[in-house]
Amino acid sequence: MSHTRYRVMEAGEARRFPPEAMARIEKILTRYPTKQAALLPVLWVAQETWGWISKEAGEEVARVLDLPPSHVDGVLTFYTMYNLRPVGKHLLQVCTSISCHLNGAESLLERCGKRLGIGLEETTADGKFTLVEVECIAGCDRAPSMMVNDQYFEPMDAGKLDALLDRLSREA
Amino acid sequence: MSSTPVAPPPSAPPPAPPPKDTFTVSFDGKAIEVPKNLNLIDAAKLAGVDIPHFCYHPRLSVVGQCRMCLVEIEGMPKIQAACTVPLKDGLSVKTTTDKVKNARAATMEFLLINHPLDCPICDQAGECTLQDNSFGYGNQLSRFDEAKRQYPTFDRTMIGPHVVADMTRCIQCTRCIRFTHEIAGTSELTFLDRGGRTLVWTHEGQPLANDWSGCAADVCPVGALTTREFRFRSRVWYLQKTPSVCPGCNVGCNISIESRDDVVYRFLPRLNPTVNDYWLCDYGRFLSEPLNDRDVHKATVREGSAVREATVPAAVDRIAREIRSSLEGKGPGAVFFLGSAHLSNEENFLLRKIADHVGSPNRDAIVDKSRPRKVKSKTVWVEGDDAGANHQGAKDMGLSPGAGGHGLDAVIAGKASPEVILIADAAFSAIADDPEKVAALRRARFLAVAARNANALTRAADVVLPAASLAEKEGTFTNVQGRVQKFDRAFLPKPPIRAAWEHLLLLALALGFGDRSWTPHDLLRQIAAEVPDYAGIKEEELEGGRLLKKGDFAWAGRP
Ligand code: SF4
Ligand code: FES
C-alpha cells in the first residue's frame, strides 16, 4: 500500500493461533536455522488465518517465535503485502509502476474505483472489495497488470476489468 | 644428544621476531602501531585523525549505516566505509583527498535533506554530531528547495518515562535500536516503515522503559532522542563538566556532573570500561535533580527548648564540649560515632580517627539495601544493592564496633546507651525518618548530626551542621568491586555550608589533634599509609579507579 505504515491497527482482542495454524508453523520451523528466520512465512500464516495482521496477531507471532514484538512490527511495516488493517474478500491490487503506468494503469484504477464506489485503500460496504495501488508486481511483460488476492490478471483493459468485477460480484 | 654446543653457521637466518600483537597502519601518511582488535575509526583516533561518523559506536555492532565515515584505502578502487574495513598490517588510509571530502559533503547533503535546520530551537545543539559534522565536513549551502519530511504524532512525544522522541530529527543511524537490543537486552525500539518514511518507535504498549533508557538518548547523535528531565533546561555549552562518581549505589558508575551557577543540571556517564563503560542507569542519572535540594542552610544549636542559629565553629565547639564532658564523667564508652555510606573515604577515615583519639570503640556505618542495580562494563555486568556509594569504604576505614564497643543496632535496641551520639550524615538510612528509631537515638543526652535535608533525625538533634552535597566536595568512594574512585568538586558550597570532612576536621582540632591545613588529599595520603588494603594508593593513579588487592568482590570477571 502506498500510505505510511507506522501503526499496526488493534483488533481489540488477544489472538491465539488455532491448532491447524500451529501445525503449519511447526512444519515451517523445521526448514529454518532459527525461529527469527521463519518470521516472514509465519506472518503469512497469520494473514491467512485472520485475513489481516492486527497488533495482537503480531504479538502472537512474536510469542510463538520468541521475538520482541517491536521486531515483528519492524518487519510488518517494512513489507507492503501484509495487510495491517481488515481488507475485503477480494483485494484488488493495481500496479502503477512504470510499465503498467505507460499502459494505462491509472485509468484502470480510476475505472475500478468508480465502479465499486470506493477510493484507494477503501473497502466496499458489503466487505467484498478493497482497492489498493501497488508497486511493481513483476508483470511488466503483460502490462497493465493487477492481482486479486494472490492471482494475476494481465494484460488488463477496461472490458476485461468489467468482466472480472462482474464475475467476482456474482460470487457469494 | 650431543652435549657439545654447535656454533650456528654464519649464514643462518636471524631468529624470527616474536609475532606482533599490533598492526602497523598509516593514516594520511603517518604510520602508527595499533592494537589488532580496534575498529578503524578508533585506530584513526589514536593517530590523531578524526573520521567523522554517526552510526559507529565502540560498544555496538558495526552496521555501516550512515556512510559518513567514508575514506580512501590504498589498493581499493572505491571509497570505503571506514567502520566496516577490518584492520590489517600495512593498511594505508587517506582521509584528506578530494574524493573523501566530496563523499563526506555528499553524505551530509543527503542527511540534511530531511533534517530540520532549526538548531537554535533544538536542545541537542552544541553536542550534536550532525551539527559538528556539518560544520566540519559539509557544504554551507543547501540545494534542497522542497518540503521536508514531517512526522505528525511522532514528534516531541514521550516514548518512555524519560525519553522524548522527535522523529523529524532522526538520521536513522540505529544506534538507539542497537543499544536496546545489544546492551539493555530489552529490544523496545525498532524501525517502522521504510525508505524516506522510516522512523524509530516502540511497540504500542511497550514503552522504552528499561533501567538504562537514558542511554538511548546518550547514544543518539542528534536531537531525536532527548531526556524529559534535561530537555530545554540549559544550553549545553554553559555547563561545566566535573568528573565524579554516582552516589546512587555501590556500583559507583563514573559520571560527569554538569552544572552551571552552582546548580546541577544533569549527570552523564563518564567512560570507564571496568565499571560502567559508556552507560549509566536511569535511577542514578536522575539523582542529579535531588542533588540540588537543600533545607539545612545554617548550623543550629538547641538550648533548653529553643533552637538557635549558630556559626559552624561555635556549633562544633559545643559538640567537642559535650564529648569531653562525657569522657570525663563516663569514659570513652559514652560516645558513639556513626559514619555513612554516603560519605567519602576521607570523611569516614577522619571520623574513625576522632573515635580513636577519644578512645571510643563505639562506631558504625550501616547502609540500606536497595533493589539490585546493575550496569554493563565493557566485559561483564557489575551489580550492587547498597543504597549508598561507599559502604565498602566506610567499613574499610574502620567504622565498625571495636573491641568491647557496640554498633547502631545495639543503640537502637537499647542494649547500649551512649551519652553523646555524633552522626556524620543525617541521611545515612531510612532509620533517620523512623520516629521510633529516632526516639531511641534521642535517648542520648546529646545528639549531633550533619545534614543537607531536614528529617526526623535533624529535628530531634541538639546540633545540626549544614553539610555539602556530592557536587560540593571531593574525595574517594570504594565500589562493590573494591575499586577506589575519585570524585571532584563541581562548585563550592555556599557558606556556612561545609563538607563533612571540614566539620570533622574542626571537631578534631577542638578535641586536640589534626592540622588545620588538612585537605581530602592529605587524608587520602594518610589512608594510604595507615589502612592496609589501601597501602600505597596514590591520588594521581586513581584515574579510572584503582582496584584494591582483595579477594571477595561481588563479581568474578576482573579485567
Ligand atoms: S533516534 Fe537517534 S539514535 Fe535512533 S536511529 Fe534516529 S538518530 Fe539514530
Ligand atoms: S560510521 Fe561507518 S557507516 Fe556509519
Side-chain angles (χ1 to χ4, degrees):
Chain A
M1 294 187 197
S2 60
H3 288 180
T4 52
R5 295 167 62 86
Y6 299 145
R7 294 261 192 234
V8 184
M9 242 175 86
E10 296 189 36
E13 60 195 65
R15 299 260 152 121
R16 278 286 187 268
F17 277 120
E20 17 351 315
M22 274 315 289
R24 282 178 66 194
I25 292 170
E26 292 303 332
K27 217 165 135 200
I28 289 169
L29 284 175
T30 62
R31 304 203 312 261
Y32 291 88
T34 63
K35 285 186 171 180
Q36 175 168 348
L39 180 53
L40 293 181
V42 171
L43 284 172
W44 275 117
V45 174
Q47 178 145 313
E48 281 157 23
T49 305
W50 294 300
W52 64 291
I53 303 183
S54 61
K55 169 179 174 279
E56 294 85 350
E59 285 164 359
E60 170 70 349
V61 170
R63 186 185 66 83
V64 303
L65 295 182
D66 277 334
L67 291 172
S70 61
H71 180 81
V72 174
D73 284 358
V75 170
L76 267 178
T77 57
F78 182 91
Y79 294 103
T80 55
M81 288 166 79
Y82 297 118
N83 303 321
L84 303 188
R85 60 197 71 200
V87 293
K89 187 173 170 217
H90 306 291
L91 179 62
L92 309 174
Q93 304 150 73
V94 180
C95 174
T96 54
S97 285
I98 186 69
S99 309
C100 298
H101 176 77
L102 293 175
N103 283 286
E106 308 300 330
S107 63
L108 265 188
L109 201 60
E110 209 188 306
R111 187 175 189 91
C112 224
K114 276 220 180 94
R115 273 209 47 168
L116 298 171
I118 52 175
L120 276 181
E121 314 270 326
E122 287 177 5
T123 301
T124 51
D126 59 5
K128 268 197 174 163
F129 296 98
T130 299
L131 178 61
V132 299
E133 180 185 17
V134 291
E135 299 302 332
C136 184
I137 50 177
C140 308
D141 55 335
R142 291 175 301 280
S145 181
M146 71 178 281
M147 289 175 80
V148 179
N149 297 336
D150 49 12
Q151 217 185 329
Y152 279 87
F153 293 89
E154 55 191 11
M156 290 304 280
D157 55 33
K160 282 186 184 171
L161 179 70
D162 288 347
L164 175 64
L165 292 182
D166 285 343
R167 176 167 69 74
L168 293 176
S169 304
R170 277 195 306 274
E171 278 178 17
Chain B
M1 273 171 81
S2 156
S3 60
T4 317
V6 179
S11 63
K20 284 200 309 172
D21 50 8
T22 56
F23 287 137
T24 312
V25 181
S26 86
F27 292 95
D28 302 320
K30 183 182 162 206
I32 85 160
E33 295 291 314
V34 294
K36 287 187 172 175
N37 58 359
L38 276 194
N39 186 281
L40 187 65
I41 290 184
D42 292 326
K45 207 175 278 169
L46 286 185
V49 170
D50 180 34
I51 299 184
H53 58 275
F54 296 105
C55 69
Y56 172 70
H57 186 289
R59 294 298 183 270
L60 302 175
S61 57
V62 172
V63 289
Q65 184 106 357
C66 71
R67 316 317 284 180
M68 189 63 206
C69 64
L70 298 172
V71 292
E72 270 196 272
I73 307 247
E74 216 171 84
M76 296 194 190
K78 280 197 192 170
I79 209 146
Q80 299 289 320
C83 65
T84 62
V85 176
L87 280 187
K88 63 175 185 193
D89 237 354
L91 207 66
S92 168
V93 182
K94 297 209 169 62
T95 72
T96 53
T97 61
D98 281 347
K99 212 167 165 185
V100 172
K101 284 185 189 153
N102 291 338
R104 285 171 176 171
T107 300
M108 275 311 307
E109 184 168 22
F110 278 127
L111 284 171
L112 291 182
I113 278 182
N114 273 316
H115 193 91
L117 299 178
D118 58 358
C119 308
I121 60 151
C122 174
D123 203 40
Q124 189 80 6
E127 56 181 5
C128 173
T129 321
L130 193 69
Q131 197 180 36
D132 294 349
N133 285 348
S134 176
F135 188 76
Y137 308 100
N139 289 327
Q140 198 182 356
L141 296 175
S142 171
R143 293 183 290 174
F144 187 72
D145 268 346
E146 291 77 358
K148 294 198 182 229
R149 176 187 62 185
Q150 295 295 317
Y151 287 106
T153 76
F154 296 94
D155 52 353
R156 293 169 292 163
T157 304
M158 302 275 304
I159 55 167
H162 303 294
V163 176
V164 179
D166 185 346
M167 279 306 123
T168 54
R169 305 196 184 286
C170 174
I171 57 164
Q172 286 84 38
C173 71
T174 72
R175 273 184 169 195
C176 56
I177 300 177
R178 284 174 285 146
F179 170 77
T180 64
H181 198 67
E182 297 165 14
I183 304 293
T186 46
S187 301
E188 292 99 338
L189 296 180
T190 183
F191 268 161
L192 296 182
D193 212 314
R194 61 171 165 176
R197 299 183 305 256
T198 308
L199 62 82
V200 172
W201 215 250
T202 57
H203 179 69
E204 193 83 29
Q206 292 194 359
L208 176 60
N210 64 58
D211 283 352
W212 313 269
S213 68
C215 295
D218 286 346
V219 297
C220 181
V222 296
L225 302 180
T226 49
T227 61
R228 172 177 63 90
E229 285 79 356
F230 179 68
R231 200 172 150 80
F232 298 131
R233 291 204 50 219
S234 173
R235 277 311 195 181
V236 296
W237 52 84
Y238 294 130
L239 296 177
Q240 171 194 328
K241 293 175 178 283
T242 307
S244 186
V245 173
C246 174
C249 82
N250 51 340
V251 170
C253 289
N254 293 203
I255 57 170
S256 162
I257 293 183
E258 315 245 315
S259 62
R260 163 186 165 197
D261 297 341
D262 298 358
V263 173
V264 176
Y265 281 88
R266 65 174 175 180
F267 289 169
L268 284 184
R270 183 163 57 88
L271 175 63
N272 184 341
T274 53
V275 183
N276 56 301
D277 211 19
Y278 289 86
W279 323 119
L280 186 61
C281 87
D282 287 352
Y283 170 76
R285 181 186 299 262
F286 300 118
L287 287 178
S288 56
E289 302 215 342
L291 209 57
N292 295 314
D293 296 347
R294 163 177 304 279
D295 30 46
V296 176
H297 299 272
K298 298 250 162 68
T300 52
V301 173
R302 187 186 304 274
E303 275 157 21
S305 58
V307 174
R308 292 207 168 78
E309 275 183 18
T311 65
V312 167
V316 171
D317 273 344
R318 170 80 187 278
I319 301 173
R321 267 204 317 278
E322 300 288 349
I323 290 179
R324 266 199 303 265
S325 88
S326 274
L327 291 175
E328 280 156 21
K330 296 257 173 76
V335 190
F336 177 77
F337 295 97
L338 188 65
S340 157
H342 305 290
L343 297 180
S344 69
N345 288 327
E346 294 70 17
E347 292 165 334
N348 283 322
F349 174 77
L350 193 49
L351 183 68
R352 198 259 294 165
K353 296 290 277 186
I354 293 173
D356 285 354
H357 179 77
V358 304
S360 169
N362 307 322
R363 37 186 91 176
D364 207 352
I366 63 146
V367 73
D368 292 340
K369 285 294 166 190
S370 72
R371 168 164 93 77
R373 309 198 185 281
K374 56 177 184 172
V375 75
K376 183 124 188 290
S377 77
K378 186 176 175 186
T379 49
V380 291
W381 286 91
V382 183
E383 290 190 38
D385 66 348
D386 282 354
N390 199 30
H391 192 224
Q392 182 63 47
K395 286 189 292 183
D396 292 345
M397 294 308 123
L399 286 176
S400 43
H406 43 250
L408 184 67
D409 282 352
V411 176
I412 285 177
K415 289 189 201 126
S417 13
E419 277 205 350
V420 172
I421 296 181
L422 170 61
I423 297 176
D425 162 34
F428 73 100
S429 154
I431 288 173
D433 247 331
D434 178 331
E436 276 174 34
K437 300 204 163 134
V438 170
L441 292 167
R442 189 53 279 196
R443 282 199 299 264
R445 179 177 57 75
F446 182 78
L447 176 62
V449 301
R452 181 159 60 92
N453 289 110
N455 56 23
L457 191 57
T458 60
R459 284 187 290 272
D462 296 306
V463 167
V464 178
L465 300 171
S469 76
L470 175 77
E472 296 161 337
K473 64 183 182 185
E474 60 199 313
T476 63
F477 286 152
T478 306
N479 84 346
V480 66
Q481 299 160 309
R483 195 174 291 283
V484 182
Q485 307 194 97
K486 192 165 123 52
F487 57 90
D488 281 353
R489 185 178 59 205
F491 44 85
L492 284 164
K494 202 161 140 235
I497 298 160
R498 302 190 194 198
W501 68 265
E502 294 176 279
H503 296 144
L504 292 168
L505 183 55
L506 284 177
L507 181 61
L509 292 167
L511 291 171
F513 86 101
D515 186 314
R516 207 167 280 283
S517 70
W518 282 356
T519 64
H521 313 273
D522 302 299
L523 292 167
L524 183 60
R525 275 195 286 278
Q526 293 179 33
I527 291 171
E530 293 179 32
V531 180
D533 283 328
Y534 291 64
I537 276 195
K538 292 200 187 68
E539 192 174 339
E540 315 81 78
E541 288 173 5
L542 291 185
E543 194 51 51
R546 166 163 165 162
L547 199 60
L548 297 182
K549 303 272 180 295
K550 284 203 211 173
D552 54 342
F553 306 130
W555 59 298
R558 218 172 307 162

